[in-house]
Amino acid sequence: MNHLDELEAESIYVFREAYAKLKNVAILWSIGKDSNVVLWLAKKAFFGHVPFPVLFIDTEKEFPQVYEFRDQRIKDWGLNYVQEQCPPVEEMDPTLPPAARLAARKTYGLKNALAKHGYNGLVAGIRRDEEAIRAKERYFSPRDDSGAWDLRDQPPEFFNQYMTTFPPGVHVRVHPILHWTEVDIWRYTKREGIPLVDLYFAKNGKRYRSLGEEEITHPIASDAATIDDIIAELERTRIPERSGRAMDHEAEDSFERLRAAGYM
Amino acid sequence: MRSATSQALKIVIVGHVDHGKSTLIGRLFHDTDSLPDGRMEAIEKMCERRGMPFEWAFLMDSIQAERDQGITIDTTQIRFATERRPYVIIDAPGHIEFLKNMITGAASSEAALLLIDAHEGVQEQSRRHGYLLSLLGIPQVAVLVNKMDLVDYDAARFGAVAETYRAYLASIGVEATGFIPISAREGDNIATHSTKMPWYQGPTVLGMLDGFQPRPPLADRPLRMLVQDVYKFDQRRIVAGRVEAGRLEAGDEVVFSPSNKTARIRSIEAFAVPETPSAAAAGESVGVTLETQIFVERGEVMSHLEQAPMETNVFKGRLFWLGREPLTVGAQYTLKLGTLECPVTVERIDRVVDTEALDRDDKERIERNAVGEVVLRTRRLLAVDEHHVSAATGRFVLVHDYVPVAGGQISMAGYPDQRNLVTVRSTNITAVGHGVTLDARTARNGHQGAVLWFTGLSGAGKSTLALALEAELFARGYQVYVLDGDNVRGGLNANLGFSPDDRAENIRRVGEVANLFADAGFIVISSFISPYRSDRQRARAAAGERFHEIYVKAPLEICEERDPKGLYKRARTGEIRDFTGVSAPYEVPEDPQFVVDTAALSVEDGLAELLAYVKQRLLT
């Protein structure tokens, strides 16, 4: 087994545990490179099937290419697609910095979807290497009624055993690619031929490294026009992946505040 | 060959609080030139803003709350690389309240660095962490005697601390890979040899790291695959799970434990791979189809017939305890063993290890964050291994109030393999005395007493399903018994014939007996055609709410085609008179609790549905 095989095997194990132990699970799909890998891993784990609804939290402010890509994937992969619109920004906490306030809409869109569909599990494509706070995540991470994450009192996780039973009112986030790195995602995407939104590839000296809402996501200077170029670029760079995501950088703790409130 | 660019070695850094873990990590990042752009400057600025000298530890402590409290709370995984290979480094906190986080970080590591302050010497957490690393199965531990700058780089002081700790490790059967005198703050013996300690000739910390070995592959061990699930998304019935050890190939004959069923692997299934695999080895998450349709489910262990795991309902466990309340004798928890889950009772505590004074006399409880040896007993059979034979099937987790509270290793010393010892199995079924309440029986059994009244045409599959269900429930520790026509007519009802009156009396008595069994806490499966609603109504009246009418449904043509005992043929020729469905009526149940359609379902699928029904309705 090579490195990518090992990562894949671990993710499949996590996916199958979620399917066996949780009753009403949805996959959060941002349509970015990570959540496409998550969907692909679901098809690997369940032999070509995605036995969960696939939930998209629509800000209505994504790039047009993202919406086109979404429609094509739903068709090609036969997804059980569920969509939830985000509430307007005027309803968000005014004490948050501006970009974080925009990002908070997703948190509420997600809360509304949870309430509407009664999911007790949500599969999310986050990785430990993205951001220091995400490094503290578990594969199975319980959230309370309001979606809040108590990062100071997390259940222990060892011997491939996860917290799979919960008191009433608690749901769980499942993180099948927690142990992957950004470059792992690219290498695997290339090996498996997983489709991607073309915004990741450079045009006129710029490309997007991480995709969010159009207003608060900035491209990086890059000439990387293929996956191989991107991998070569990542091996050289020391600029963090989420540096183009404005809401992370407004205050020392803005990402932590978003995340504790249920931001994916 | 391992690829130099991708296979990171997972290491954990442990030790007593304030013995310098975060400082060491900051130093390792700096000395291997692994810091992201701007991180050093950001930390310098932050320290300036707070009016304090530069602090290496801030690199790891990237959450505001941690910075304010001045302690690390949870494991944070960050990567760095030497020239030889990349590493994932897991900062494990030393504060005792956060032991569960240290365990989470350490459990997935391949090697550990354990820090001891040269000035303070061996502390309680130094000992506790050493013990836990051994329980977690971390094979390589380097002991770093830190803060040598505070003891004037004194060789004698290093020797004294190393000797004390070496002796402690020996007392718990552990041998360290090496001891290194360092100063993390000053960078002594981290990347390069320190000029201040010319008396030390051994490896530097980076040299020691590069010398650690990755976990050996387990492909040459006996096959162990934990069954996670059985899928039927399409026409394939796929047994899915991860190969924890060994290899499997299409065509292999395998046994599932603890159900002890055998089958041959027909194929290995996979999605979007260049070619269909014909074999799989340790580490792979796979799915297999079987040549014969047997009923298997999550929780079983698939192995070859030779070198199968042991079966038992009792074992010794060496465990660490994280629960808020102490572990006590007689307490019941949920056991997680591979993918199997079931209730388990603490039969006794053999030893409580106190890392401050090694052994204690009090064997009634194991307190939070302590280590002990216990005997655990379940009602059902388990498939287990000695932990040193197979880690995945030789270790367990206990869950209490939803949360994992213990982890440990299995020892079977002194306990027999019960795979072929049915007699031993039955002695483990506890007899009940008089004056025991129904609630007590229910609590003991973990399920309610009940009458599962199978009704349906001859040949519908009642007996087949009843016996299969009995076997499955028994294997899971249920109190279960099948009442069928032959065993009743031979004794209790020997004086009854086949006249309608006698038939009614037959069913009445069966109903009463079934009710007595249900009173005793049993799940009774009665398997009678019982064609008349009135008779079934009487049986229901005897058992009340514990009565479950299960309609085993199949059209007459199919039953007649099956005709397992040749009875339909004889009925058609007139040799048998008053035969239900042919020359006597069958009154279809109007409102049964459950219907098993054996015309549409295989025996395995029908059994799976019945099991799901029993779990849902009768488990407490």
Side-chain angles (χ1 to χ4, degrees), chain A residues 3 9-10 13 16-17 21 44 49 132 136 138 152-154 157 160-162 164 238 252-253, chain B residues 7 33 35 49 62 64-67 76 100-101 104 228 234 242 285-286 298 336 338 341:
Chain A
H3 179 56
E10 181 78 17
Y13 188 83
R16 289 176 177 168
E17 287 300 288
K21 299 301 296 181
K44 288 270 183 179
H49 304 264
K136 294 173 183 294
R138 302 287 197 249
R152 281 158 199 82
D153 187 22
Q154 299 199 65
E157 211 165 63
N160 298 322
Q161 298 289 359
Y162 313 109
T164 51
R238 288 183 172 203
E252 261 182 41
D253 65 346
Chain B
Q7 300 288 83
D33 196 22
L35 288 173
R49 217 167 36 237
S62 40
Q64 191 159 25
E66 291 184 2
R67 286 195 294 270
T76 301
K100 66 188 169 113
N101 296 332
T104 301
Q228 281 184 284
D234 42 41
R242 184 160 61 184
S285 285
V286 300
R298 180 178 166 84
K336 283 189 167 188
E341 266 180 66

Side-chain angles (χ1 to χ4, degrees), chain A residues 12-208:
Chain A
I12 290 174
Y13 188 83
V14 171
F15 247 128
R16 289 176 177 168
E17 287 300 288
Y19 185 71
K21 299 301 296 181
L22 306 173
K23 287 202 172 61
N24 191 5
V25 185
I27 298 178
L28 271 172
W29 187 31
S30 74
I31 312 181
K33 63 184 193 309
D34 300 299
S35 60
N36 291 340
V37 166
V38 168
L39 284 188
W40 186 257
L41 288 165
K43 289 165 81 72
K44 288 270 183 179
F46 306 110
F47 305 96
H49 304 264
V50 180
F52 308 104
V54 173
L55 174 65
F56 176 60
I57 305 296
D58 188 12
T59 60
E60 296 169 56
K61 290 170 185 289
E62 307 297 320
F63 291 93
Q65 293 92 326
V66 167
Y67 290 109
E68 279 165 34
F69 180 85
R70 171 196 65 181
D71 296 342
Q72 193 60 45
R73 291 274 62 77
I74 294 171
K75 214 171 108 209
D76 290 356
W77 284 349
L79 301 175
N80 173 10
Y81 175 76
V82 179
Q83 179 168 320
E84 180 71 31
Q85 301 308 121
C86 296
V89 69
E90 293 73 31
E91 293 176 16
M92 299 300 106
D93 179 359
T95 69
L96 280 171
R101 199 166 167 224
L102 267 182
R105 293 177 61 222
K106 278 196 182 177
T107 308
Y108 283 89
L110 183 59
K111 279 179 189 172
N112 293 341
L114 278 174
K116 196 183 290 177
H117 303 286
Y119 300 126
N120 70 342
L122 279 175
V123 177
I126 65 159
R127 307 188 322 267
R128 284 200 179 108
D129 77 323
E130 275 178 87
E131 213 284 332
I133 293 155
R134 286 188 173 170
K136 294 173 183 294
E137 271 290 5
R138 302 287 197 249
Y139 285 105
F140 281 63
S141 176
R143 304 299 159 102
D144 70 12
D145 268 337
S146 62
W149 178 44
D150 187 354
L151 64 89
R152 281 158 199 82
D153 187 22
Q154 299 199 65
E157 211 165 63
F158 53 92
F159 294 172
N160 298 322
Q161 298 289 359
Y162 313 109
M163 184 167 169
T164 51
T165 51
F166 306 94
V170 170
H171 76 274
V172 62
R173 296 285 174 86
V174 180
H175 302 133
I177 57 166
L178 196 59
H179 54 297
W180 295 50
T181 65
E182 188 181 8
V183 74
D184 293 332
I185 293 286
W186 284 113
R187 290 207 174 102
Y188 187 72
T189 299
K190 183 184 177 209
R191 181 179 95 172
E192 301 288 320
I194 304 170
L196 274 173
V197 181
D198 62 9
L199 291 167
Y200 286 109
F201 302 109
K203 281 196 195 71
N204 305 322
K206 283 191 185 302
R207 71 175 194 91
Y208 289 88

